[in-house]
Amino acid sequence: MHLIINGKDHDDLPDGLTVAGLIAHLELPERKIAVERNREVIPKSTYSETPLNNHDVLEIIHFIGGG
């Protein structure tokens, strides 16, 4: 599957991924990120049931604590 993630092409992703599957594949902490697919924010409660399609454009935002 081909996705564009944060402006970079990713051609080596397995077919049939959900948002949750992509987060796991990229080894990202699900609790501290927000995901936008094709300019639409995906609610965290639907990550496991939201399928990704070939050529989707994703923005993944990492939240970092501090002060």
Side-chain angles (χ1 to χ4, degrees), residues 2-67:
H2 173 260
L3 299 174
I4 299 171
I5 303 171
N6 295 347
K8 295 182 182 179
D9 288 310
H10 291 263
D11 292 317
D12 58 346
L13 298 168
D15 290 334
L17 281 176
T18 62
V19 173
L22 177 65
I23 291 168
H25 182 79
L26 298 175
E27 299 179 356
L28 297 173
E30 185 176 335
R31 299 180 74 190
K32 296 184 179 184
I33 64 170
V35 179
E36 179 184 274
R37 180 187 64 178
N38 303 326
R39 298 184 174 220
E40 183 178 320
V41 175
I42 305 298
K44 286 186 183 206
S45 62
T46 65
Y47 282 3
S48 63
E49 50 197 59
T50 302
L52 296 174
N53 300 305
N54 204 29
H55 304 294
D56 277 347
V57 177
L58 300 161
E59 292 293 325
I60 300 176
I61 310 295
H62 300 263
F63 296 103
I64 300 172

